[in-house]
Amino acid sequence: MSPPAVILACDEPGVIRAVAAAFEEEGVPLRVVAATTARAAALQSPLGIGLARHDDALAVALATGPDAPYVIGDDPRRMGHIAARLAARRPLGVEQ
C-alpha cells in the first residue's frame, strides 16, 4: 500500500518535473494522474489536496473547501511547495 499523497492531475512533463521536485524537497508524497480539475484531484487525494491546470496557471484545491481553487499561480515549482507545505502542515512561506 502506498502512503497518502497529494494528487497532481496533469499530463505536461515540464510541470510534473517542477512540481515533483518541490514535493521531493519537502519530503511529501505526490501521485500523478490524468488531467482533470484541481478540485477533482483533491477529492481523489487521501490528504484532500490536489493540483491541476487552471487556464494558463496551476491551481491548488482542497477537498473540504469551496469549489474554487485555494490558490492559483504560474510557477509550478512554487505551487508544488505550497501544496506540499499544506500537506505537511508547515508554514506556506507565501508573501502577503
Side-chain angles (χ1 to χ4, degrees):
M1 175 178 252
S2 60
V6 172
I7 302 293
L8 169 61
C10 183
D11 54 8
E12 300 173 52
V15 171
I16 293 169
R17 275 191 302 275
V19 172
F23 271 78
E24 185 175 333
E25 290 168 1
E26 296 292 340
V28 175
L30 177 70
R31 187 164 48 109
V32 180
V33 300
T36 186
T37 66
R39 174 67 176 199
L43 292 171
Q44 291 179 46
S45 168
L47 299 176
I49 302 168
L51 293 99
R53 272 287 180 201
H54 185 83
D55 298 326
D56 290 335
L58 196 62
V60 175
L62 306 176
T64 58
D67 286 341
Y70 180 69
V71 65
I72 300 170
D74 59 2
D75 180 351
R77 191 172 187 128
R78 183 159 192 248
M79 296 305 291
H81 277 289
I82 289 171
R85 286 176 167 265
L86 279 171
R89 298 181 185 210
R90 294 186 195 121
L92 299 182
V94 176
E95 298 170 12
Q96 299 293 329

